[in-house]
Amino acid sequence: MGTRIPAHASSHNVIPAEEAEKWLALMLEQDWKKSPHIGFAATLLARKSGDRLRDIQDDLRDKLSAKLRNSKTPANWVELIEQVKELDDKESKQFFGESLPPGLKLINQ
């Protein structure tokens, strides 16, 4: 999985930022209006962690933000790549494929 913030593992298990940047460059070439799932995947791949070793370069982050805005994706996707932020319930459901039981929330430790 390419996400920068792992759901159930150590941050040592994520791919290097340099590799993520290569994947993101390829994703930027795609039409996200026709395939919005690419935009969500790019959001998870570029998600800001606050760890400079895991985070992508700022110039690439700016390109992704612009593409997300131009593709009319949800505003909170842009927030996920521009600032350190937890997934909301809708994003968690999209990421995990199912919703969590009422009252149960995922937390980082």
Side-chain angles (χ1 to χ4, degrees):
M1 191 179 285
T3 187
R4 310 311 304 140
I5 302 173
H8 299 291
S10 164
S11 61
H12 295 92
N13 294 325
V14 299
I15 62 163
E18 296 81 17
E19 188 67 26
E21 290 168 351
K22 291 176 189 174
W23 295 359
L24 288 165
L26 294 172
M27 293 171 139
L28 277 169
E29 297 172 3
Q30 306 305 310
D31 185 346
W32 294 2
K33 289 179 184 175
K34 289 184 180 177
S35 302
H37 61 281
I38 298 172
F40 187 65
T43 298
L44 293 176
L45 190 57
R47 189 172 161 203
K48 193 163 195 169
S49 70
D51 177 352
R52 64 184 178 89
L53 296 176
R54 281 189 288 158
D55 286 338
I56 63 169
Q57 298 293 318
D58 289 337
D59 61 332
L60 181 56
R61 185 179 312 284
D62 293 343
K63 290 176 186 175
L64 288 163
S65 293
K67 178 120 181 177
L68 286 167
R69 285 186 179 93
N70 291 336
S71 300
K72 308 233 186 285
T73 60
N76 53 341
W77 291 9
V78 175
E79 292 172 7
L80 284 169
I81 67 168
E82 291 182 344
Q83 54 189 285
V84 179
K85 181 180 176 282
E86 295 296 321
L87 294 175
D88 66 22
D89 290 337
K90 184 177 179 182
E91 294 157 345
S92 293
K93 183 177 180 181
Q94 188 172 3
F95 180 71
F96 293 107
E98 60 184 55
S99 61
L100 296 171
L104 184 62
K105 294 189 182 223
L106 295 176
I107 59 170
N108 281 340
Q109 292 189 13

